[in-house]
Amino acid sequence: MPSLLNDLSDIVSAAFTELGLPAELGRVGVSQRAELGQFQCNGAMPAAKQAGKNPREIAEQVVAKLAGHPMLAKVSIAGPGFINLDLSDKALAERIAAVAADERLGVPAKDKEMVVVDYGGPNVAKAMHVGHLRAALIGESLKRLMRFSGDEVVGDVHLGDWGLPMGQLIAELELQHPDWPYFAEGNGPFPAESPVSIEDLEVLYPQASGRSKEDPEFLEKARRATAALQAGRPGYRALWQHFFDVSVARLKQDYGALGVTFDWWQGEAAVNDLIAPMVDELKAKGLAEESDGALVVPVAEEGDKKEMPPLILYKSDGAVMYGTTDLATIVDRQAKVKPNAIIYVVDQRQGLHFEQVFRAARKADLSPGTLYEHAGFGTVNGTDGKPFKTRAGGVMKLGDLIRMATEAAAARIEEAGLAKDLPEAERADTARQVGLAAVKFADLSNWRATNYIFDLDRFVRFEGKTGPYLQYMGVRIKSLLRKAADQQALPGALMEPAAAEERDLVLHMLRLSDAMERAYERRGPNEIADWAYELAAAFSRFYAACHILSESDGARRASWLTLSATVLKQLELVLDLLGIEIPERM
Ligand code: ARG
C-alpha cells in the first residue's frame, strides 16, 4: 500500500506540473494547524519566488486544478498561500478498509538490504549497567523495525571480551591461586569445569581493577597477561574460555528476561585470527605506520574540526586495542554476510572511536560499499540529574532493575484496582510485563541521543505518555472485542466515519507508514513510540464519543468493531517493534 502522504503529494505535484511549476513543491505534509485542514502544502511560496509572482495567486491556481478531485473534500488557502486539504470521507473509508485487510496494516515493505545491527556490547565478567540497557533496548527495537521494513537483519551482541580486563582477571587469579594449572607454561591439561562462577567474577573484577589503580606493578602484569592471552598462551586461553562461558550463560538469562535476542554471540576475541592478515593488508596498502613502538593507522583528514588521533592497531607490548578488534570484525562481517550497512548502537560518547574505525575501514576498503553508522545514544540520569546509580551508589545491575520495575508495576496495578480477579501467577506475569513496558517505553520514546531521567514512579503510571498506558489501552480493546463476541456482535464492513473523533482516529491510523518510515530513516524508535501514544489517545476519544456495544445500528456497530480490531493490530505491531507485550487482561 502506498502511503497517504505520498499519494496526496502525487496529486498536488501533478497540479504544480500542469502549471509549469516544479513537481517537488507539491509535497504534502500533515497540517500544523488541524483547525484549518488535515493536510497542507507550502509549495506556493517558493514557487512564487521562482516565478516572480504572488504566492496567493499561485495557490489559487493550484486550488482550481485540485477542485473536484474525488479524494479531496475541501481545498482552501490560508495566510500568504498555504494550501490546506481535507480528505473526503469516502476516501478515508476506502483507505482504512485497505489497511484493515492488509497483512502489513498499511505499511509498505522497502527493498531488502542486508544489515548488521551491533548492539548490547556488554563486557565479559563486568556487570551490565544502564548504558548497556539502552543499547539493548534501542538495538533490539531497530533490529525489529528494520526486519519488519523488509531488511534481512543480523543482531550481533559484540561482547567486550579481549581487552585489559581479561588480563586483569588473569593476573588477579594468579595472585590468589598461584597453584592453579592455568598459570604454568605449557599445554595443560586444564579442567573442563570453570573454577570461577559468574558471582566470583563479579567480585574479582572490581578487586583486580582496584588493584591496578593502586599498584603499577600489578597493572604491568595485567598488561603482559593481556598480550600473552591474545598471543595464545594455552593456560590463559583455557581460563579465558571459562570467563566467557559463565558470562555468556548469565547474559543470555539477563537478555532473555528483557526479551532481547541476538543472532550472533560474537565477541572481540572471535576475530583474533583475522587481525594478523588484516594488519598485513593494511601495511601492504601503505596505511599502517610505526609510532613510538606502536603500529597505527593515521585517519586525520584535511578540514577536520577536532583532533583525530590515529587508530592504534598494536600497542608497543603487542596487545591489540578496541579499534583493532572493531576493524577485524568488519572484515569478518564482510566475509560472512556482505552487509549493505552496519549500525552500531553504542553510547554517543564513543563517537570518536567509531569515526576512527569507519575512516580506517573505508581507507582500507575492508568492506566495499558498506555504510557504517554510529547510532549513538545519550545518558540515563538519576532524578538528581547525575548518571544513574543505585541507592548504594554503585552501578545498577540489570536483574535488580527488572525486579524494581516489576515491584513498582505491581504496586501501581494494585493501587489502580486492576488485575484483581486474575489468578496469582497471571497477576505476577502482568506486573512483569507492565514493569518492562514502563522501562522500555520510557527509554524508546525519547530521541535516542537525548539524555533522560530514570524516574520509575513516573514510568509505571497508567496515565500520560507511558508504556503501561498503551498496554492498558490494548487491554481495553481486547476486552471490548471479547464482550462484543459474547453478545454475538461481529465485526463487519468499514463505513465512512460518523463522528469527528472517528475521523481523527482513522486519519491517524493512515499515518502509520509515515511514522514507520521516519523511524527507519532516523534510526529512531521514538517516531513510532510517539505515533502509538497518539493512536491510543485518539482511540480513547473515539471510544468515549462512540458507544460501540450499545449502538443500535448493526452495520455501524460492525464497522466500529472492525475499526477497533484494526487499532489493536496496529498497536500490537508497533509495541512489538518496541519490545512491549500487551497482557490479555488486567
Ligand atoms: N563493550 C563496549 C562497551 O561496553 C561496547 C561495544 C560496542 N560495539 C562495538 N562494536 N564496539 O563500551
Side-chain angles (χ1 to χ4, degrees):
M1 262 188 79
S3 105
L4 178 57
L5 286 183
N6 286 343
D7 282 359
L8 285 172
S9 298
D10 286 349
I11 293 170
V12 180
S13 295
F16 272 77
T17 325
E18 278 179 53
L19 293 166
L21 300 167
E24 64 275 12
L25 295 180
R27 185 86 216 141
V28 170
V30 170
S31 172
Q32 303 298 307
R33 292 180 57 192
E35 69 281 10
L36 295 179
Q38 298 165 348
F39 300 94
Q40 74 184 54
C41 167
N42 303 342
M45 276 71 73
K49 209 170 201 178
Q50 283 180 26
K53 283 193 186 151
N54 176 341
R56 186 104 198 168
E57 199 178 306
I58 300 239
E60 272 157 17
Q61 289 171 347
V62 173
V63 167
K65 292 257 173 246
L66 294 174
H69 192 285
M71 252 181 87
L72 302 174
K74 199 177 117 201
V75 191
S76 62
I77 303 171
F82 295 102
I83 302 169
N84 295 310
L85 311 165
D86 274 0
L87 225 53
S88 70
D89 281 348
K90 182 158 175 289
L92 276 183
E94 277 166 19
R95 292 230 152 213
I96 198 65
V99 168
D102 181 12
E103 217 172 65
R104 299 182 52 85
L105 301 169
V107 185
K110 62 177 281 294
D111 291 341
K112 175 157 113 185
E113 286 175 279
M114 179 72 224
V115 181
V116 174
V117 183
D118 178 315
Y119 68 106
N123 300 309
V124 159
K126 285 207 242 175
M128 270 199 261
H129 53 69
V130 277
H132 292 117
L133 174 74
R134 287 215 82 182
L137 300 184
I138 299 169
E140 178 73 21
S141 181
L142 289 178
K143 178 188 77 179
R144 292 180 185 206
L145 175 72
M146 299 183 95
R147 238 176 227 166
F148 178 74
S149 299
D151 289 335
E152 191 172 333
V153 189
V154 177
D156 185 6
V157 71
H158 200 78
L159 290 165
D161 64 359
W162 213 224
L164 181 62
M166 299 299 107
Q168 288 173 311
L169 282 174
I170 293 170
E172 181 66 29
L173 282 170
E174 182 156 16
L175 202 70
Q176 296 187 14
H177 308 278
D179 50 316
W180 282 6
Y182 307 96
F183 307 116
E185 303 267 357
N187 288 318
F190 306 107
E193 190 82 2
S194 177
V196 285
S197 66
I198 185 71
E199 289 77 18
D200 296 336
L201 287 183
E202 282 169 4
V203 177
L204 275 166
Y205 179 71
Q207 278 176 348
S209 121
R211 205 186 298 284
S212 301
K213 287 191 190 107
E214 283 151 24
D215 179 353
E217 224 168 281
F218 177 81
L219 180 60
E220 195 37 48
K221 270 193 195 140
R223 291 224 165 94
R224 277 203 302 273
T226 310
L229 167 73
Q230 293 174 353
R233 183 168 157 157
Y236 289 3
R237 286 285 179 104
L239 195 50
W240 173 89
Q241 191 65 51
H242 296 311
F243 301 161
F244 183 88
D245 292 341
V246 298
S247 295
V248 166
R250 166 58 60 87
L251 287 167
K252 285 192 173 168
Q253 265 176 21
D254 282 353
Y255 283 124
L258 274 180
V260 170
T261 56
F262 296 95
D263 304 290
W264 291 350
W265 279 85
Q266 292 256 83
E268 299 162 344
V271 298
N272 193 54
D273 292 347
L274 300 178
I275 291 175
M278 176 186 78
V279 170
D280 288 343
E281 190 186 328
L282 289 167
K283 280 189 191 153
K285 289 182 172 161
L287 297 170
E289 61 188 43
E290 204 94 13
S291 165
D292 289 335
L295 189 68
V296 305
V297 182
V299 289
E301 282 163 16
E302 209 150 313
D304 278 346
K305 295 234 163 47
K306 43 179 199 252
E307 201 199 321
M308 189 52 68
L311 180 139
I312 304 174
L313 292 170
Y314 286 120
K315 288 197 301 172
S316 51
D317 64 8
V320 302
M321 301 279 282
Y322 189 35
T324 326
T325 50
D326 258 327
L327 269 188
T329 302
I330 290 177
V331 174
D332 187 43
R333 289 172 179 163
Q334 172 68 7
K336 287 199 168 98
V337 297
K338 291 204 177 20
N340 297 98
I342 306 179
I343 300 179
Y344 297 82
V345 183
V346 184
D347 194 318
Q348 60 195 356
R349 289 171 293 188
Q350 295 192 24
L352 178 66
H353 163 76
F354 285 109
E355 188 57 35
Q356 292 174 305
V357 170
F358 298 168
R359 285 186 183 190
R362 276 188 222 114
K363 276 186 137 179
D365 210 14
L366 293 183
S367 76
T370 304
L371 178 79
Y372 308 117
E373 225 180 277
H374 176 202
F377 54 80
T379 316
V380 186
N381 292 319
T383 33
D384 58 359
K386 302 204 188 91
F388 184 67
K389 296 257 161 73
T390 59
R391 279 215 185 109
V395 291
M396 170 72 68
K397 285 200 224 156
L398 207 58
D400 295 337
L401 189 126
I402 294 177
R403 207 167 315 115
M404 264 172 58
T406 306
E407 279 166 18
R412 197 48 71 93
I413 288 171
E414 167 127 29
E415 217 176 86
L418 296 169
K420 276 199 300 274
D421 310 323
L422 299 187
E424 181 54 37
E426 191 178 339
R427 196 163 55 225
D429 199 46
T430 305
R432 180 192 62 82
Q433 287 176 322
V434 172
L436 282 178
V439 171
K440 290 182 180 186
F441 191 82
D443 192 291
L444 296 171
S445 57
N446 288 291
W447 164 238
R448 59 178 158 75
T450 312
N451 302 341
Y452 74 92
I453 290 177
F454 194 88
D455 183 356
L456 201 47
D457 287 335
R458 195 164 61 74
F459 299 170
V460 295
R461 285 189 197 151
F462 282 100
E463 314 80 39
K465 194 172 168 184
T466 67
Y469 170 71
L470 294 179
Q471 287 178 312
Y472 182 59
M473 206 51 76
V475 168
R476 275 174 74 182
I477 304 176
K478 287 187 186 187
S479 134
L480 162 74
L481 297 174
R482 265 198 306 267
K483 275 193 203 137
D486 289 348
Q487 286 173 215
Q488 325 293 330
L490 295 177
L494 280 158
M495 298 164 66
E496 291 182 18
E501 291 82 358
E502 183 178 5
R503 191 174 294 111
D504 288 345
L505 173 62
V506 169
L507 274 169
H508 190 72
M509 293 170 78
L510 295 178
R511 287 182 204 134
L512 173 57
S513 63
D514 299 314
M516 209 74 105
E517 198 178 306
R518 281 196 309 277
Y520 186 98
E521 298 291 326
R522 304 187 69 204
R523 321 295 193 210
N526 63 306
E527 296 286 348
I528 51 173
D530 284 345
W531 179 91
Y533 171 66
E534 297 297 339
L535 177 75
F539 178 80
S540 169
R541 288 188 293 266
F542 157 72
Y543 193 60
C546 303
H547 302 138
I548 304 177
L549 291 178
S550 57
E551 172 60 40
S552 53
D553 176 348
R556 176 58 66 193
R557 190 182 56 213
S559 167
W560 282 344
L561 285 172
T562 301
L563 188 63
S564 304
T566 309
V567 171
L568 178 63
K569 281 192 209 156
Q570 286 194 326
L571 188 63
E572 277 174 330
L573 166 65
V574 170
L575 289 188
D576 180 62
L577 298 184
L578 299 174
I580 295 174
E581 306 167 311
I582 303 179
E584 260 333 286
R585 31 187 200 169
M586 243 190 238

